Amino acid sequence: MANPLLKIEDLHAAVQGKEILRGIDLAVGAGEVHAIMGPNGSGKSTLAGVLAGRDSYAVTAGRVTYAGQDLLEMAPEDRASAGVFLAFQYPVEIPGVGNLYFLRAALNAQRRQRGEEELDAADFLQLAKKRMRLLEMDDTLTRRAVNEGFSGGEKKRNEIFQMAMLEPKLAILDETDSGLDIDALKIVAQGVNALRDAQRAMLVITHYQRLLNYIVPDYVHVLSAGRIVKSGGKELALELEEKGYGWLEPEAAAV
Amino acid sequence: MSAATLTAPPAPAVYTVPDAAYERAFAAIAARAGEPAVLRQLRRSAFAQLQQRGFPTSKHEEYRQTNLAAVLQRSAFALPERPGAATLREAERAAQPGAAFGGPQLTFVDGHFTPELSRLNSLPAGVRAGGLLSANDAGDDRLARLGELADIGGENTLAAFNTAFFGDGAWVEIAPGAQVDAQIEIVHLATGGAGVPTMAHPRQLILAGRGSRAKVVETYLSLNGAAHLTNAVTEIFVAENAELEHARLQQENTAACHISAVHSRQAADSRLRLHALTFGGALTRNDVVTVLNGPGAEALLNGLYVAEGRQHVDNHTVLDHAEPRGASREYYRGILDGQATTAFRGRILVRPDAQHTDAVQSDKNLLLSSDCTANADPQLEIRADDVRCTHGATFGQIDEEALFYLRSRGVGAEMARHLLIFAFAAEALGRLNPSPLRTRLETELFSRWTGLTPPEGAEASGG
Ligand SMILES: Nc1ncnc2c1ncn2[C@@H]1O[C@H](COP(=O)(O)OP(=O)(O)O)[C@@H](O)[C@H]1O
Ligand SMILES: [Mg+2]
């Protein structure tokens, strides 16, 4: 890959003095879907958070280049404008801020930042309706405050709805499958797949292989104790499903 | 035993006696021609009570956070005359927020009922309203009801202060069964006088008849930045199965001292929604005393206080569950910045007869600076055994995770912070029934923090 969209080199990150990411190397090209799998606590959300700009992590070594820019130098909102999107593992409830208002503010802030024209209320609403249909979202849901009183599944669906509205270049989905029943999972996967194209890259973080039946990745990486201990094609996910993560541990220790 | 405990310390001064200037001011009122005998008598006993006890100091248990005597004991608050033509013209513009709603409006300038700035010619069916003293409604016994809830004989000398000095008051009566959609506005405007701080003692009497439904809004404004004192008393009677929404909006200037008391009594199955919205004032003290006096009554106490600079806001509430199956919801929210100080004391009293009471109280404070101070003091007195009663108070900064969430979507850091401050307030505004007032406040607060015009409807807050 000559010029990957995202290039992570020897990334180390710590929380409260504890090193969580211990040397990650990963290159993601435009149009590719990479799955990151790994046991709980292996650092998947930490990686996602570092990429999106969560400031509770301290990057202690390494580099992240995104579209030729030093990603780690950018504020979270600038990363968003540049096309980075994180679907949160635990989406935040924000009572008092309307879902659609928030999305329009976000979308227009991004467009302004990129020097594009803002969407007016009518165009925005039209786009929102289209995307809501894609994710079979209820009108009553999007008119409420951001995630307020949403069920776990509704929150996850709302994340993908936001992604569909913001049309990022790099989408990071952190355990978007957890808390979804099989019907919701299919709808969400269908929404994600509809956004797959040659320009857009995706980092699909999941604990289970199940999601990858519906969002079929090009590559699968296994994260264990803060390192990528194995990479392969989509069949690696099936192998993990069968054998669990245990067989990778010695390999992790050997690195 | 040490010697120190043998002699009791001198009793701290819980009250201070009013200055002689008040005596002279009262003499002028007592000499006023044309007031009915019943009112003269009431005023005289009120002033006697005030003189005897005086103003509460911070030694008084109920005023520990707010030393009213220190403000009130000054020798001269002028009682302004009825406004002249020039003042009226200025006042007309200032009283516009209410006028813009287009519904019925009673306007008071420095406590004087001002028909020229009021709109009472096309009152909705079932509504009677006017100046408490000036309305010419033969056979009405409304004066006899004054002080029925705001007792002038007890500890509360501020009610006595108001009763002795009030110019005129607002009287709103909703006929039994009347369903009134229009928002009934009461606007109090202080002109600030020239040089000497002025005082006004607004008075409200609101009677919601059996099975009626109505909305009343009291708005307090200052014409300019001059210091003045407002000492308002509102008495609200809600008859069986009536539904009343009452909002008190304090937007006086930041030099003002604003004291208020809202007393309400609810009959069986009535629903009362009380909103206490405080934005102005150098020093504000609000008391709300709500008695759920019939089975199945429901009360909402919704408070929002926004204080910055050196503003001080003190909210005291009493929710008195006197009868069974009452439900009360009390939510107070404060947004503090600068060196602002606030206090909240919420007392919930569940009397022995009030079985199956369901009471919830919460006070949440958003602290935007490191120099502001918020206090909360919940007091539960539960004397019935089968009740549900919860309370809680929180003091916190902007939620970092919410801030990151907004920023991760592309909203700039500053805007994200402002949106979250607005959101905190919007939750309180969301408890007002949809109304022109709610829309106006959402607009004002949205712009206050974000500097932007909000989209139409409740889209900004998701309400
Ligand atoms: N804010 C935090 N404070 C302390 N420890 C944290 C924090 N966030 C994550 N960790 C720790 O970092 C490790 C990796 O967490 P995380 O990235 O959430 O893993 P995963 O998403 O793979 O389950 C865990 O041991 C977790 O306890
Ligand atoms: Mg995780």
Side-chain angles (χ1 to χ4, degrees):
Chain A
M1 227 181 302
N3 264 322
L5 180 66
L6 176 73
K7 191 164 185 219
I8 304 173
E9 296 165 277
D10 191 35
L11 181 65
H12 291 249
V15 178
Q16 293 168 352
K18 180 179 155 203
E19 189 164 59
I20 311 282
L21 300 184
R22 303 191 301 147
I24 304 248
D25 289 282
L26 182 67
V28 178
E32 295 175 358
V33 174
H34 290 239
I36 295 191
M37 301 184 70
N40 280 330
S42 56
K44 302 185 297 294
S45 293
T46 304
L47 175 61
V50 168
L51 294 177
R54 189 192 289 280
D55 65 7
S56 48
Y57 305 118
V59 174
T60 49
R63 294 177 1 126
V64 179
T65 315
Y66 168 81
Q69 288 173 276
D70 181 352
L71 188 69
L72 300 179
E73 280 300 304
M74 296 162 73
E77 56 271 31
D78 296 335
R79 300 182 196 201
S81 302
V84 176
F85 177 89
L86 169 63
F88 282 49
Q89 180 174 6
Y90 303 107
V92 184
E93 292 195 21
I94 311 184
V97 177
N99 226 332
L100 283 182
Y101 174 76
F102 158 54
L103 252 181
R104 182 144 77 95
L107 182 60
N108 280 334
Q110 291 197 16
R111 293 177 73 102
R112 264 197 312 278
Q113 183 72 18
R114 293 194 292 257
E116 296 164 15
E117 209 175 305
E118 293 186 27
L119 279 192
D120 67 22
D123 289 346
F124 172 82
L125 216 55
Q126 206 177 1
L127 180 65
K129 288 226 165 83
K130 221 157 56 191
R131 298 297 190 245
M132 274 153 62
R133 270 198 298 278
L134 178 66
L135 287 151
E136 300 183 20
M137 294 259 299
D138 203 328
D139 200 44
T140 55
L141 218 54
T142 48
R143 297 212 166 272
R144 293 205 327 233
V146 179
N147 292 323
E148 190 188 17
F150 287 25
S151 71
E154 285 167 346
K155 284 180 185 167
K156 294 305 179 74
R157 206 183 284 202
N158 195 29
E159 292 293 285
I160 302 306
F161 168 61
Q162 291 179 15
M163 171 175 117
M165 290 296 292
L166 297 172
E167 302 182 326
K169 287 206 194 77
L170 173 66
I172 305 161
L173 313 185
D174 190 359
E175 301 219 17
T176 299
D177 49 334
S178 64
L180 293 182
D181 62 33
I182 190 69
D183 291 332
L185 182 77
K186 283 182 185 166
I187 294 165
V188 163
Q190 178 189 312
V192 172
N193 286 330
L195 290 166
R196 277 179 90 154
D197 69 26
Q199 310 313 317
R200 190 165 288 130
M202 293 187 186
L203 217 50
V204 180
I205 293 172
T206 179
H207 184 77
Y208 301 105
Q209 182 270 339
R210 186 180 71 151
L211 176 69
L212 305 180
N213 289 335
Y214 301 97
I215 305 174
V216 180
D218 301 306
Y219 302 94
V220 175
H221 311 277
V222 182
L223 193 65
S224 175
R227 287 196 184 101
I228 290 177
V229 294
K230 197 165 184 69
S231 296
K234 58 175 183 267
E235 51 311 322
L236 178 56
L238 291 167
E239 205 176 337
L240 286 167
E241 176 80 351
E242 208 175 294
K243 300 190 193 164
Y245 291 106
W247 62 286
L248 288 166
E249 299 297 323
E251 206 171 331
V255 175
Chain B
M1 190 180 281
S2 73
T5 55
L6 292 175
T7 47
V14 173
Y15 291 95
T16 61
V17 173
D19 187 272
Y22 286 118
E23 232 166 282
R24 291 190 293 275
F26 184 70
I29 288 195
R32 200 187 272 170
E35 287 205 341
V38 46
L39 181 60
R40 284 162 174 271
Q41 184 48 43
L42 190 65
R43 286 195 196 277
R44 266 199 301 276
S45 28
F47 191 66
Q49 172 69 9
L50 179 66
Q51 272 192 308
Q52 199 194 328
R53 276 199 188 246
F55 300 116
T57 70
S58 55
K59 296 286 191 298
H60 191 296
E61 171 54 25
E62 293 292 322
Y63 295 88
R64 276 211 317 251
Q65 311 277 354
T66 306
N67 190 349
L68 289 182
V71 178
L72 301 179
Q73 188 45 28
R74 58 186 302 154
S75 57
F77 278 106
L79 259 183
E81 294 294 312
R82 188 167 281 285
T87 313
L88 274 184
R89 270 194 303 277
E90 261 187 280
E92 187 169 9
R93 274 195 305 279
Q96 276 304 309
F101 298 149
Q105 178 174 335
L106 291 95
T107 304
F108 296 77
V109 178
D110 296 327
H112 298 284
F113 178 50
T114 313
E116 307 91 302
L117 303 182
S118 300
R119 223 179 6 260
L120 295 171
N121 42 9
S122 52
L123 285 176
V127 177
R128 292 197 300 163
L132 197 51
L133 306 184
S134 43
N136 182 12
D137 235 59
D140 194 81
D141 60 351
R142 60 188 180 268
L143 286 184
R145 304 210 69 166
L146 282 186
E148 197 173 324
L149 301 179
D151 180 21
I152 57 165
E155 294 261 305
N156 183 0
T157 52
L158 296 159
F161 190 24
N162 172 287
T163 305
F165 285 100
F166 77 88
D168 199 348
W171 159 65
V172 175
E173 189 165 346
I174 315 296
Q179 307 294 304
V180 183
D181 290 320
Q183 174 173 297
I184 301 161
E185 284 280 321
I186 301 166
V187 176
H188 286 281
L189 185 67
T191 64
V196 186
T198 57
M199 65 176 177
H201 298 268
R203 186 87 190 204
Q204 275 71 226
L205 178 66
I206 300 169
L207 305 150
R210 178 187 293 242
S212 66
R213 178 173 56 77
K215 265 197 274 254
V216 179
V217 179
E218 290 172 35
T219 304
Y220 292 82
L221 303 167
S222 314
L223 192 55
N224 49 43
H228 63 90
L229 165 70
T230 300
N231 176 40
V233 171
T234 298
E235 291 173 280
I236 301 174
F237 296 85
V238 189
E240 253 174 62
N241 205 28
E243 182 176 326
L244 181 71
E245 178 163 40
H246 176 266
R248 227 183 155 277
L249 173 60
Q250 201 264 86
Q251 292 185 309
E252 292 182 345
N253 68 36
T254 51
C257 172
H258 186 96
I259 303 166
S260 81
V262 173
H263 295 262
S264 65
R265 189 163 73 200
Q266 292 180 247
D269 299 315
S270 62
R271 295 168 300 283
L272 176 61
R273 302 168 70 81
L274 287 179
H275 308 280
L277 312 166
T278 300
F279 303 104
L283 183 152
T284 299
R285 164 62 184 246
N286 300 318
D287 280 82
V288 177
V289 181
T290 301
V291 187
L292 285 78
N293 205 40
E298 291 174 18
L300 167 77
L301 266 61
N302 177 37
L304 174 64
Y305 44 99
V306 179
E308 57 185 35
R310 304 190 61 90
Q311 283 180 287
H312 175 79
V313 182
D314 182 355
N315 282 296
H316 274 219
T317 65
V318 178
L319 258 162
D320 184 345
H321 284 269
E323 293 280 333
R325 289 181 285 104
S328 63
R329 293 290 177 271
E330 177 170 21
Y331 308 107
Y332 270 67
R333 272 169 185 261
I335 299 178
L336 288 76
D337 205 344
Q339 292 155 282
T341 52
T342 65
F344 168 79
R345 172 179 281 194
R347 184 165 164 232
I348 298 178
L349 172 60
V350 181
R351 294 185 191 265
D353 285 344
Q355 295 295 0
H356 305 291
T357 285
D358 175 2
V360 174
Q361 178 192 87
S362 97
D363 175 43
K364 290 191 187 176
N365 296 279
L366 178 60
L367 311 177
L368 299 175
S369 76
S370 49
D371 291 334
C372 56
T373 317
N375 263 292
D377 179 11
Q379 301 194 325
L380 309 186
E381 259 175 76
I382 315 232
R383 301 193 200 138
D385 43 33
D386 189 5
V387 304
R388 193 180 85 104
C389 193
T390 65
H391 69 92
T394 62
F395 309 88
Q397 279 96 40
I398 296 259
D399 178 11
E400 286 298 323
E401 185 62 10
L403 198 61
F404 175 58
Y405 191 71
L406 295 178
R407 294 180 70 189
S408 79
R409 298 301 183 249
V411 180
E414 206 41 17
M415 178 65 179
R417 190 179 132 82
H418 290 153
L419 264 183
L420 290 174
I421 301 171
F422 167 73
F424 191 85
E427 265 199 284
L429 298 182
R431 294 192 188 98
L432 282 117
N433 286 328
S435 67
L437 171 71
R438 174 170 148 182
T439 307
R440 186 186 110 209
L441 288 175
E442 279 171 346
T443 305
E444 282 183 11
L445 291 185
F446 191 84
S447 323
R448 171 178 181 150
W449 284 300
T450 67
L452 299 174
T453 314
E456 306 102 62
E459 198 200 317
S461 58

